[in-house]
C-alpha cells in the first residue's frame, strides 16, 4: 500500500514503484502523478487515444487505469491548472522518453539481464574508499563519434571499457544522462529525472554500458543534479500551474546563474521525489556512485546572489537548513541501502563537515572535490617557470587543510571550457615545455593524497578546448608527444595500483614534506604505516637542478617513474646514483644527491629486498 505519510514527510524513497506508469495485472497500464494544484489531469497520446481522466486523491496524486495500453506506446499528461490553462507535461517518473525535447513518454519498464553479479557482490563486501580510485570523466556525446554521429550506449560501453582498462582508470564518471532537452546544457538542465536520455538509445542500452564496464572491472559514477532543473514547459516547472517542485518565492526557487528552477527542499513530497530518484539510478542501473552537482548552491541561500535576491532562514542566516537535512538523508539512505557505493560532493565552500558522518553532525558524503587545490595548482602552472619561485605557496597551502575533509583531486570539464583553454593549452613556453609541464602537473596530482579525476582529452594532450559538438582530437595520437602523455597517465595509474602508500590513508597520516621551502623544487613523502614509502620530487623550473633529497630509509632507491623518460615524450635524462649517503638533509640523516632535469616529476622508492631462497 502506498505510504502517503512517508511521501508527505519526505521519507519515501520508492516513489518510482508507485507513481508514473506501471503494467496492471488485469491488463493495460495504471498511471499516477502528483499534481496537487491541478483542476484536471488526463492521460493522452497513443496509449490513450480518446484520453483518460484521472481521479484525484487526498494526497494530491491523480490515479487511473487505461485498458488496452501497451508497452512502447507514447503518452503524456494533459494538465488543467487552477486558472484553466491546459499544458502538456512529461511524466516525472517515466523511465523512457520518446525524444529529448518533447513531452511524450513511453510505456514499458526497462528489462535487462544483468551479468555483473561478481562485481556487485564484491562491491557490497568492501568500503568505497578501500583501494585506489582514479576516475575518467566522460561526456558521452563527444568522447567518440562515428562519421560525426553519436555512438549508442552499447557501442560506447564496448569502446570505453577497452580504452579505460588500457589507460588504467578504476572508474568512469558520466556527465548527467538524465533526459535533458538542450544538448548544450551537457545534461545539467534536466526534465526527465528517471529517464536515461534517448539520444544514445533506450534505458536497457545504458544498463548494458554499465554491465560492460563492470565486467571489465571498471566502476561507474553518475553526475546527479538535485540542485536545479530546466524551465522547459513540458518539464517539472509549475507542473500543476503552481510552484509544485520548485519554491514559490523566486528568491529561493530560481537560480540566476543557470536560469533554472530550484527544488523546494522544505516540501516532503519533493524530498521523497529526489530520494527515490537517487535510489532509482543506483538500483535500476547498478551505478557505483553519485557525484552530486553544485552542492554549495544547495547549502547557501545566497549562493551567487546579490543583496535583496535571497531570503534568510528562520534564524536570519544564509544557510539552507532544509537542503542540508535533505543531503544528510540521501547520504544516509545510500550508505544504508547500497554498501560500497561512493557519494561525492562538488562543493566549493568552507561548509564544515561535508565528508563527516551524519551521526557526528556532518553532511555525510564520502568525498568532496578539492576546488582550492584545483584553482591554486592551475594558477601556479600557468605561470612561466621564472615567475613560479615566488608562488610555491599555491602548491604547499593544501597541506594546511588536507585533513579537514576527505578530498578528491579533480581536473574536470569545467576547467577546459569557456575560454579557459585545454590543460595543455594552459601550459607556458614552447611546445616541448608545454608537454613537460603537463606531465609534471599530472604527476603532482597523482602524488598528492586523495582519489583522482581527469576529464577526457587531457590524457592525450588535447590542444583545443572541449567542444561538446565534436569528438576528441584522437588524430593527435599519431604524434609521439601526445602518445607520451597517454602513456604517462597509464603508468601513473599502474603506479597508484601498485603502491598502497599512494592511496592508503588519503589524509595527513602518511603525508610528510621533505622540502616545501625550495622556490623551484618540491619534495614530499607518502609513507603510511605498513607501506613501502614513496618519495615524490618535482622540478618546476626550466633549469637542471642538483638537488639533495633527505630520505627516511638508507640504502638504494629506485626510480618508479620519471616524467622525462623518452617513453613519455621526455629527453630521457637520468637522475644519477640512487644510493643514499649518511649526510643529513631536510632533518633526515640519509640523503640522495639527484640530478633533476628541468620540468620533471619523479617517483622514488627504496629497492625491495629479495627474500633469500632456501635450498635443501
Amino acid at each position: 500500500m502506498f505510504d502517503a505519510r512517508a511521501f508527505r514527510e519526505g521519507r519515501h524513497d520508492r516513489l518510482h514503484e508507485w507513481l508514473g506508469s506501471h503494467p496492471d495485472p488485469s491488463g493495460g497500464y495504471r498511471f499516477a502523478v502528483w499534481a496537487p494544484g491541478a483542476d484536471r489531469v488526463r492521460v493522452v497520446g497513443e496509449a490513450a487515444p480518446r484520453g483518460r481522466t484521472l481521479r484525484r486523491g487526498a494526497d494530491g496524486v491523480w490515479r487511473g487505469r487505461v485498458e488496452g495500453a501497451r508497452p512502447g506506446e507514447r503518452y503524456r499528461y494533459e494538465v488543467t491548472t487552477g486558472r484553466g490553462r491546459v499544458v502538456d507535461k512529461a511524466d516525472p517518473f517515466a523511465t523512457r522518453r520518446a525524444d529529448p525535447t518533447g513531452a511524450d513518454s513511453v510505456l514499458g519498464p526497462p528489462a535487462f539481464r544483468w551479468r555483473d553479479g561478481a562485481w556487485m557482490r564484491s562491491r557490497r563486501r568492501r568500503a568505497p574508499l578501500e583501494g585506489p580510485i582514479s576516475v575518467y570523466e566522460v561526456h558521452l556525446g563527444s568522447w567518440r563519434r562515428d562519421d560525426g554521429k553519436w555512438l549508442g550506449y552499447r557501442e560506447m560501453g564496448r569502446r570505453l571499457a577497452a580504452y579505460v582498462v588500457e589507460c588504467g582508470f578504476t572508474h568512469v564518471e558520466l556527465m548527467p544522462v538524465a533526459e535533458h532537452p538542450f544538448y548544450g546544457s551537457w545534461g545539467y538542465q534536466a526534465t526527465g529525472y528517471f529517464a536515461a536520455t534517448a539520444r544514445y538509445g533506450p534505458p536497457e542500452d545504458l544498463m548494458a554500458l554499465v554491465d560492460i564496464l563492470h565486467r571489465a572491472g571498471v566502476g561507474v559514477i553518475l553526475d546527479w543534479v538535485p540542485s536545479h532543473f530546466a524551465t522547459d514547459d513540458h518539464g517539472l516547472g509549475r507542473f500543476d500551474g503552481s510552484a509544485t517542485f520548485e519554491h514559490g518565492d523566486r528568491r529561493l526557487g530560481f537560480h540566476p546563474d543557470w536560469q533554472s528552477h530550484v527544488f523546494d527542499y522544505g516540501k516532503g513530497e519533493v524530498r521523497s521525489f529526489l530520494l527515490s530518484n537517487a535510489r532509482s539510478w543506483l538500483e535500476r542501473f547498478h551505478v557505483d556512485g553519485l557525484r552530486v552537482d553544485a552542492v554549495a548552491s544547495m547549502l547557501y541561500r545566497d549562493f551567487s546572489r546579490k543583496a535583496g535576491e535571497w531570503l534568510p532562514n528562520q534564524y536570519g542566516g544564509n544557510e539552507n537548513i532544509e537542503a542540508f537535512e535533505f543531503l544528510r538523508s540521501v547520504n544516509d539512505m545510500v550508505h544504508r541501502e547500497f554498501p560500497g557505493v561512493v557519494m561525492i560532493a562538488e562543493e566549493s565552500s568552507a561548509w564544515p563537515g561535508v565528508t563527516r558522518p551524519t551521526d557526528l553532525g556532518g553532511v555525510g558524503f564520502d568525498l568532496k572535490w578539492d576546488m582550492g587545490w584545483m584553482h591554486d595548482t592551475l594558477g601556479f602552472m600557468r605561470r612561466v617557470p621564472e615567475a613560479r619561485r615566488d608562488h610555491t605557496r599555491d602548491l604547499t597551502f593544501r597541506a594546511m587543510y588536507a585533513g579537514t575533509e576527505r578530498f578528491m583531486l579533480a581536473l574536470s570539464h569545467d576547467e577546459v571550457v569557456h575560454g579557459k583553454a585545454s590543460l595543455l593549452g594552459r601550459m607556458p613556453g614552447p611546445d616541448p615545455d608545454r608537454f613537460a609541464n603537463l606531465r609534471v602537473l599530472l604527476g603532482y596530482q597523482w602524488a598528492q593524497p586523495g582519489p583522482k579525476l581527469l576529464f577526457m582529452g587531457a590524457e592525450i594532450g588535447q590542444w583545443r578546448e572541449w567542444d561538446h559538438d565534436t569528438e576528441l582530437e584522437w588524430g593527435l595520437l599519431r604524434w609521439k608527444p601526445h602518445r607520451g602523455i597517454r602513456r604517462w597517465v597509464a603508468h601513473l595509474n599502474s603506479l597508484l595500483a601498485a603502491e598502497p602508500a599512494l592511496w592508503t590513508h588519503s589524509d595527513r597520516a602518511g603525508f610528510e614534506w621533505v622540502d616545501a621551502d625550495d622556490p623551484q623544487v618540491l619534495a614530499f613523502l607518502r609513507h603510511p604505516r605498513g607501506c613501502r614509502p614513496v618519495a615524490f620530487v618535482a622540478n618546476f623550473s626550466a633549469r637542471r637542478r642538483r638537488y639533495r633529497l633527505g630520505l627516511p630509509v638508507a640504502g638504494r632507491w629506485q626510480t618508479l617513474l620519471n616524467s622525462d623518460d623518452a617513453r613519455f615524450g621526455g629527453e630521457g635524462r637520468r637522475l644519477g646514483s640512487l644510493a643514499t649517503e649518511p649526510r643529513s638533509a631536510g632533518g633526515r640523516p640519509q640523503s640522495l644527491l639527484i640530478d633533476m632535469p628541468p620540468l620533471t616529476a619523479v617517483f622514488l622508492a627504496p629497492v625491495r629486498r629479495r627474500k633469500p631462497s632456501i635450498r635443501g
Side-chain angles (χ1 to χ4, degrees), residues 331-594:
N331 284 322
D332 279 345
M333 183 272 289
V334 170
H335 291 138
R336 181 181 65 250
E337 301 290 333
F338 300 94
V341 165
V342 62
M343 295 293 289
I344 305 168
E346 187 222 7
E347 205 283 320
S348 55
S349 78
W351 186 283
V354 171
T355 58
R356 188 183 304 147
T358 57
D359 57 1
L360 297 178
V363 188
F365 284 98
D366 297 297
L367 293 168
K368 167 181 169 170
W369 277 16
D370 192 342
M371 310 296 279
W373 170 86
M374 178 273 296
H375 284 293
D376 290 347
T377 302
L378 291 181
F380 177 88
M381 294 302 300
R382 290 195 78 155
R383 299 180 186 276
V384 295
E386 295 77 16
R388 290 173 178 169
R389 59 184 305 117
D390 298 324
H391 297 275
T392 53
R393 187 177 182 275
D394 290 345
L395 299 183
T396 60
F397 179 69
R398 181 179 193 252
M400 301 295 291
Y401 66 83
T404 61
E405 300 276 7
R406 291 193 299 271
F407 285 109
M408 181 176 211
L409 279 65
L411 294 175
S412 74
H413 65 276
D414 280 329
E415 312 320 317
V416 293
V417 288
H418 303 319
K420 296 177 184 176
S422 67
L423 290 187
L424 182 63
R426 287 185 182 211
M427 300 298 108
D431 287 356
D433 286 0
R434 288 176 182 263
F435 283 98
N437 272 300
L438 181 56
R439 292 193 298 270
V440 172
L441 168 62
L442 296 175
Y444 175 66
Q445 180 185 11
W446 258 251
Q448 281 279 333
K452 330 297 176 191
L453 179 142
L454 191 65
F455 183 58
M456 64 182 200
E459 85 285 0
I460 63 172
Q462 177 147 312
W463 278 113
R464 61 169 168 79
E465 277 193 337
W466 171 51
D467 179 359
H468 60 262
D469 283 324
T470 60
E471 70 171 6
L472 298 182
E473 295 178 287
W474 295 107
L476 293 174
L477 290 173
R478 291 175 296 174
W479 309 104
K480 182 179 177 181
H482 296 277
R483 293 196 304 272
I485 293 291
R486 188 169 71 174
R487 191 173 290 122
W488 175 240
V489 170
H491 278 73
L492 287 170
N493 281 326
S494 295
L495 182 66
L496 183 68
E499 298 293 338
L502 293 176
W503 58 262
T504 303
H505 304 301
S506 359
D507 56 15
R508 286 181 180 173
F511 176 90
E512 183 182 357
W513 286 112
V514 174
D515 191 348
D517 298 321
D518 189 292
Q520 296 176 314
V521 178
L522 201 65
F524 53 81
L525 284 166
R526 301 293 307 279
H527 60 143
R529 185 175 300 174
C531 300
R532 177 169 71 155
V534 174
F536 175 78
V537 188
N539 182 3
F540 291 98
S541 76
R543 296 183 178 182
R544 199 175 187 92
R545 279 288 307 276
R546 296 275 287 174
Y547 181 75
R548 185 160 292 279
L549 175 68
L551 292 170
V553 177
R556 289 200 59 81
W557 285 60
Q558 66 184 108
T559 303
L560 301 178
L561 280 181
N562 178 350
S563 69
D564 194 55
D565 193 308
R567 294 175 298 169
F568 310 128
E571 297 294 326
R573 291 163 287 200
R574 297 183 179 276
L575 304 179
S577 173
L578 293 181
T580 65
E581 54 184 316
R583 179 173 172 179
S584 64
R588 295 166 184 81
Q590 297 287 323
S591 65
L592 290 174
L593 184 62
I594 56 178

Side-chain angles (χ1 to χ4, degrees), residues 98-111:
D99 67 80
T101 60
D104 280 354
S105 302
V106 180
L107 292 177

